[in-house]
Amino acid sequence: MASIFCCFRGCASFLDLGFATPAVPIKKQPTIALDQQQIGQEVVLVKDGSRICGTGGALGNTAIMQDKAYFEVRLQQSGIWGIGLGSEKADVNTVPMGNDTDSWVMCSDGYLRHNKEETHHITQLPQEGDTIGVSYNHIELNFYLNGQKLDCPFTNVRGQVYPAVYVDDGAVLDVVFDNFVHDPPPGFDKIMLEQSLLET
Protein backbone atom coordinates (compact mmCIF):
# COMPACT_ATOMS: atom_id res chain seq x y z
CA MET A 1 0.00 0.00 0.00
CA ALA A 2 2.83 2.36 0.88
CA SER A 3 4.47 1.81 -2.51
CA ILE A 4 1.20 2.67 -4.27
CA PHE A 5 0.91 5.90 -2.26
CA CYS A 6 4.55 6.82 -3.08
CA CYS A 7 3.86 6.18 -6.74
CA PHE A 8 0.68 8.29 -6.58
CA ARG A 9 2.58 11.11 -4.83
CA GLY A 10 5.19 11.02 -7.62
CA CYS A 11 2.46 11.15 -10.27
CA ALA A 12 0.70 13.95 -8.43
CA SER A 13 3.81 16.09 -8.42
CA PHE A 14 4.37 15.29 -12.08
CA LEU A 15 0.82 16.24 -12.99
CA ASP A 16 0.89 19.21 -10.60
CA LEU A 17 -2.44 18.39 -8.94
CA GLY A 18 -1.60 20.63 -6.01
CA PHE A 19 -0.23 17.85 -3.81
CA ALA A 20 3.44 18.66 -4.37
CA THR A 21 5.45 20.51 -1.75
CA PRO A 22 6.56 23.87 -3.12
CA ALA A 23 10.29 24.32 -3.58
CA VAL A 24 11.86 26.50 -0.91
CA PRO A 25 14.40 28.90 -2.36
CA ILE A 26 17.78 28.59 -0.71
CA LYS A 27 19.18 31.95 0.28
CA LYS A 28 22.84 32.18 -0.63
CA GLN A 29 24.92 33.47 2.27
CA PRO A 30 27.10 36.45 1.36
CA THR A 31 30.78 35.62 1.40
CA ILE A 32 33.78 37.71 2.24
CA ALA A 33 36.04 38.33 -0.74
CA LEU A 34 37.90 41.12 -2.48
CA ASP A 35 35.50 43.85 -3.56
CA GLN A 36 35.01 44.37 -7.32
CA GLN A 37 34.06 47.99 -6.54
CA GLN A 38 37.23 48.72 -4.54
CA ILE A 39 40.02 47.70 -6.94
CA GLY A 40 42.66 49.48 -8.98
CA GLN A 41 41.97 50.18 -12.65
CA GLU A 42 44.46 47.54 -13.84
CA VAL A 43 43.58 44.84 -11.30
CA VAL A 44 41.97 41.53 -12.22
CA LEU A 45 40.06 39.53 -9.61
CA VAL A 46 39.32 35.87 -10.31
CA LYS A 47 38.18 32.80 -8.37
CA ASP A 48 35.12 34.59 -6.94
CA GLY A 49 37.19 37.52 -5.69
CA SER A 50 39.80 35.46 -3.87
CA ARG A 51 42.70 35.84 -6.36
CA ILE A 52 44.29 39.13 -7.39
CA CYS A 53 46.60 39.75 -10.32
CA GLY A 54 47.45 42.64 -12.64
CA THR A 55 48.68 45.96 -11.23
CA GLY A 56 47.18 47.80 -8.28
CA GLY A 57 45.33 47.09 -5.06
CA ALA A 58 42.03 45.81 -3.75
CA LEU A 59 40.08 46.00 -0.51
CA GLY A 60 37.90 43.35 1.07
CA ASN A 61 34.14 43.67 0.73
CA THR A 62 33.53 44.05 4.49
CA ALA A 63 35.14 46.11 7.21
CA ILE A 64 36.72 44.45 10.22
CA MET A 65 34.19 45.12 12.97
CA GLN A 66 34.88 42.32 15.45
CA ASP A 67 37.47 42.55 18.23
CA LYS A 68 39.94 40.00 16.86
CA ALA A 69 40.06 39.13 13.16
CA TYR A 70 42.37 36.96 11.06
CA PHE A 71 42.85 36.20 7.37
CA GLU A 72 45.56 34.63 5.22
CA VAL A 73 47.19 35.33 1.89
CA ARG A 74 48.94 32.67 -0.18
CA LEU A 75 51.76 33.84 -2.40
CA GLN A 76 51.00 31.98 -5.63
CA GLN A 77 53.50 33.81 -7.85
CA SER A 78 56.34 36.16 -6.95
CA GLY A 79 56.57 39.77 -8.02
CA ILE A 80 55.84 43.00 -6.21
CA TRP A 81 53.05 42.69 -3.65
CA GLY A 82 51.75 43.95 -0.32
CA ILE A 83 49.33 42.73 2.34
CA GLY A 84 47.61 44.52 5.22
CA LEU A 85 44.71 46.84 5.90
CA GLY A 86 43.26 49.94 4.30
CA SER A 87 40.39 52.35 4.74
CA GLU A 88 37.85 53.09 1.99
CA LYS A 89 40.05 56.07 1.04
CA ALA A 90 43.17 53.95 0.42
CA ASP A 91 44.73 54.55 -3.00
CA VAL A 92 44.24 51.23 -4.82
CA ASN A 93 45.66 52.59 -8.09
CA THR A 94 49.17 53.26 -6.76
CA VAL A 95 51.79 50.59 -6.11
CA PRO A 96 53.06 50.18 -3.51
CA MET A 97 50.23 50.81 -1.10
CA GLY A 98 51.35 52.18 2.26
CA ASN A 99 52.33 55.54 0.81
CA ASP A 100 49.19 57.22 2.11
CA THR A 101 47.56 57.73 5.51
CA ASP A 102 44.89 55.15 4.69
CA SER A 103 46.87 51.91 4.25
CA TRP A 104 49.17 49.78 6.42
CA VAL A 105 50.98 47.02 4.50
CA MET A 106 53.81 44.51 4.63
CA CYS A 107 55.53 44.65 1.25
CA SER A 108 57.38 42.04 -0.79
CA ASP A 109 60.72 43.79 -0.11
CA GLY A 110 60.26 43.13 3.63
CA TYR A 111 59.32 46.67 4.63
CA LEU A 112 56.18 47.60 6.53
CA ARG A 113 54.85 50.85 5.08
CA HIS A 114 52.35 53.48 6.16
CA ASN A 115 52.12 57.15 5.21
CA LYS A 116 55.36 56.98 3.13
CA GLU A 117 57.26 55.67 6.15
CA GLU A 118 59.02 52.33 6.56
CA THR A 119 58.30 51.29 10.15
CA HIS A 120 59.87 47.80 10.28
CA HIS A 121 61.89 45.49 8.06
CA ILE A 122 61.70 41.70 8.11
CA THR A 123 64.66 39.65 6.98
CA GLN A 124 62.84 36.37 6.26
CA LEU A 125 61.08 37.28 3.02
CA PRO A 126 58.05 35.23 1.92
CA GLN A 127 58.58 33.01 -1.13
CA GLU A 128 56.21 31.42 -3.66
CA GLY A 129 53.95 28.96 -1.88
CA ASP A 130 54.25 30.66 1.52
CA THR A 131 51.23 31.72 3.55
CA ILE A 132 51.12 35.11 5.23
CA GLY A 133 48.68 35.44 8.11
CA VAL A 134 47.23 38.77 9.19
CA SER A 135 45.69 39.42 12.61
CA TYR A 136 44.09 42.64 13.80
CA ASN A 137 42.59 43.46 17.19
CA HIS A 138 42.05 47.25 16.83
CA ILE A 139 45.30 47.78 18.78
CA GLU A 140 47.89 45.85 16.76
CA LEU A 141 48.12 44.65 13.17
CA ASN A 142 50.41 41.58 13.12
CA PHE A 143 51.82 39.39 10.37
CA TYR A 144 52.72 35.68 10.38
CA LEU A 145 54.88 33.75 7.94
CA ASN A 146 53.79 30.12 7.63
CA GLY A 147 52.26 30.28 11.10
CA GLN A 148 55.21 32.02 12.81
CA LYS A 149 54.63 35.53 14.20
CA LEU A 150 56.99 38.09 12.66
CA ASP A 151 57.00 40.46 15.70
CA CYS A 152 56.74 43.64 13.64
CA PRO A 153 53.29 45.06 14.45
CA PHE A 154 51.65 48.24 13.31
CA THR A 155 50.20 50.01 16.36
CA ASN A 156 48.87 53.12 14.60
CA VAL A 157 45.93 51.67 12.60
CA ARG A 158 42.94 53.99 12.97
CA GLY A 159 39.35 54.08 11.77
CA GLN A 160 37.26 51.56 9.89
CA VAL A 161 39.56 49.28 7.91
CA TYR A 162 39.31 46.48 5.37
CA PRO A 163 41.67 43.72 4.28
CA ALA A 164 43.98 45.23 1.64
CA VAL A 165 46.35 43.69 -0.91
CA TYR A 166 48.23 44.93 -3.96
CA VAL A 167 50.18 43.29 -6.78
CA ASP A 168 52.53 44.26 -9.60
CA ASP A 169 55.26 42.75 -11.79
CA GLY A 170 53.49 39.38 -12.22
CA ALA A 171 52.61 38.73 -8.57
CA VAL A 172 49.53 36.61 -7.89
CA LEU A 173 47.96 36.42 -4.42
CA ASP A 174 45.13 34.25 -3.10
CA VAL A 175 43.29 35.84 -0.20
CA VAL A 176 41.75 33.31 2.19
CA PHE A 177 38.99 34.36 4.58
CA ASP A 178 38.19 30.88 5.99
CA ASN A 179 39.53 27.30 5.88
CA PHE A 180 42.97 28.52 6.91
CA VAL A 181 46.23 26.65 6.39
CA HIS A 182 47.44 27.73 9.85
CA ASP A 183 45.40 28.13 13.01
CA PRO A 184 44.63 31.75 13.89
CA PRO A 185 46.30 33.07 17.05
CA PRO A 186 44.38 32.30 20.29
CA GLY A 187 41.15 34.31 20.47
CA PHE A 188 41.23 35.32 16.80
CA ASP A 189 38.75 34.13 14.19
CA LYS A 190 37.83 34.67 10.55
CA ILE A 191 36.37 38.03 9.58
CA MET A 192 32.62 38.09 10.14
CA LEU A 193 30.00 40.05 8.27
CA GLU A 194 28.21 42.68 10.33
CA GLN A 195 24.96 40.69 10.39
CA SER A 196 26.90 37.64 11.65
CA LEU A 197 28.18 39.75 14.51
CA LEU A 198 24.62 40.67 15.49
CA GLU A 199 23.56 37.01 15.50
CA THR A 200 26.35 35.83 17.82
Side-chain angles (χ1 to χ4, degrees):
M1 179 74 170
S3 61
I4 294 172
F5 179 71
C6 289
C7 181
F8 178 75
R9 187 175 59 189
C11 293
S13 64
F14 174 73
L15 297 174
D16 195 18
L17 299 174
F19 298 117
T21 307
V24 178
I26 298 173
K27 184 177 179 183
K28 185 178 178 186
Q29 291 287 1
T31 58
I32 298 174
L34 296 175
D35 190 346
Q36 291 282 355
Q37 306 303 313
Q38 292 283 355
I39 62 172
Q41 295 174 350
E42 296 181 31
V43 166
V44 177
L45 297 181
V46 294
K47 294 180 68 175
D48 295 324
S50 67
R51 176 171 285 178
I52 181 173
C53 47
T55 298
L59 299 178
N61 63 358
T62 190
I64 298 175
M65 305 300 285
Q66 75 222 55
D67 292 339
K68 295 181 176 184
Y70 179 82
F71 66 98
E72 290 180 340
V73 178
R74 294 186 189 133
L75 180 54
Q76 296 294 344
Q77 186 170 310
S78 295
I80 296 171
W81 52 264
I83 299 163
L85 300 177
S87 77
E88 285 184 318
K89 296 179 183 178
D91 185 358
V92 293
N93 286 303
T94 302
V95 172
M97 291 177 77
N99 285 325
D100 58 16
T101 60
D102 296 300
S103 58
W104 299 260
V105 293
M106 180 178 76
C107 303
S108 54
D109 60 5
Y111 284 100
L112 274 68
R113 292 188 172 92
H114 168 68
N115 198 22
K116 297 182 183 177
E117 293 181 16
E118 296 171 345
T119 59
H120 294 286
H121 185 261
I122 61 169
T123 54
Q124 186 180 359
L125 299 179
Q127 304 297 315
E128 278 187 23
D130 284 346
T131 299
I132 299 105
V134 181
S135 69
Y136 178 59
N137 65 3
H138 298 272
I139 297 170
E140 284 188 351
L141 167 60
N142 280 290
F143 299 94
Y144 304 78
L145 180 57
N146 296 321
Q148 300 300 311
K149 190 173 182 180
L150 294 174
D151 290 319
C152 55
F154 280 110
T155 57
N156 61 347
V157 179
R158 302 285 181 264
Q160 182 170 294
V161 291
Y162 300 76
V165 293
Y166 74 82
V167 292
D168 194 13
D169 197 29
V172 177
L173 302 176
D174 282 355
V175 185
V176 180
F177 293 107
D178 59 9
N179 300 320
F180 303 123
V181 172
H182 301 282
D183 290 333
F188 285 80
D189 202 357
K190 66 182 181 178
I191 298 170
M192 294 186 283
L193 295 167
E194 286 185 68
Q195 184 171 351
S196 299
L197 287 171
L198 295 174
E199 294 171 353
T200 59

